[in-house]
Amino acid sequence: MPLSSRVPDIGALELLLAVARLGSVGRAAAELGVSQPAASARIRGMERQIGVALLERSPRGSRPTEAGLLVVEWARNVVEAAQALDAGIDALRGRRDARLVVVASLTVAEYLMPGWLLALNEVSPDTAVTLRTANSADVAAHVLAGDADLGFVEGSGTPPGLAGAVVAADRLVVVVAPEHPWARRRGPVTATELAATPLVLREPGSGTREVLDQALAPHGGTAPPRLELASSTALKAAAMTGAGPVCLSELAVVEELATRRLVAVPVEGLDLHRPLRAVWPVGRRPAGPARLLLGLTREPVRRG
């Protein structure tokens, strides 16, 4: 059954209890951080609402009337219950704010997320983080379903239903084993030649595949792949064993290019730059640890 309009709000009851305990509207107002005129007006408003006088006022202070003593006792139970509720809600929020679930594309998870999470741990060591990996299409689905507080995707745009912010820039590179004919070419591979060549590629739904397919569309489209693999590690291994040219994130091949286990092949007439984005549902801006992590992505990534 809904409460009647005669029941005062919790703030008014807290004020009445403070007056009864301190014997003065002025002292009660000071304790609660309000002005004395505002406190007096609130007491008068509560008396009108209830329909009885609650305080006897004199030059020496204020004390409850006979009816006021009854209301004070009832109010004490209500305020104590409200304080218990407040403490419980605070505990629930604390537990929620101490957890962060992130789902990220494989490139972001492997090459950028470790530095971001290290920085998060330094500023919020009590936050327990769960990191899940998926291709960009699945990241978007998880975030839309509410399975994660924050997502990170690769690709040319923000997935439908999500808002986002660019957190890093990346570039795809074509790499081959040192023994591959393209490694010894004097000139670059053309975009049309790359489009006609069966490549070792990431699976459909990955941000890497999406960017490459869009870039090659004006040049005849991507040829049927020689292999489709689901991770950068597998792609690199395939390239090093001579399976064919591979297109993957520049972040993933820094060490292999430096040690000449793979060779980068220049491609003429093709822009393979892409943004990396943090994403969240439209209308629900990240809060708590998710907002903190989002801010940290703007800072330089630490590498071990």
Side-chain angles (χ1 to χ4, degrees), residues 149-196:
D149 301 302
L150 196 62
F152 291 88
V153 297
E154 312 157 25
S156 56
T158 304
L162 299 177
V166 174
V167 296
D170 187 25
R171 182 171 72 97
L172 300 183
V173 293
V174 177
V175 296
V176 295
E179 300 78 20
H180 192 279
W182 283 5
R184 298 187 294 273
R185 284 180 62 136
R186 291 179 179 270
V189 172
T190 67
T192 301
E193 188 177 2
L194 183 67

Side-chain angles (χ1 to χ4, degrees), residues 14 76 78-88:
E14 282 186 305
R76 185 172 289 110
V78 172
V79 171
E80 287 176 354
Q83 289 170 341
L85 175 62
D86 188 32

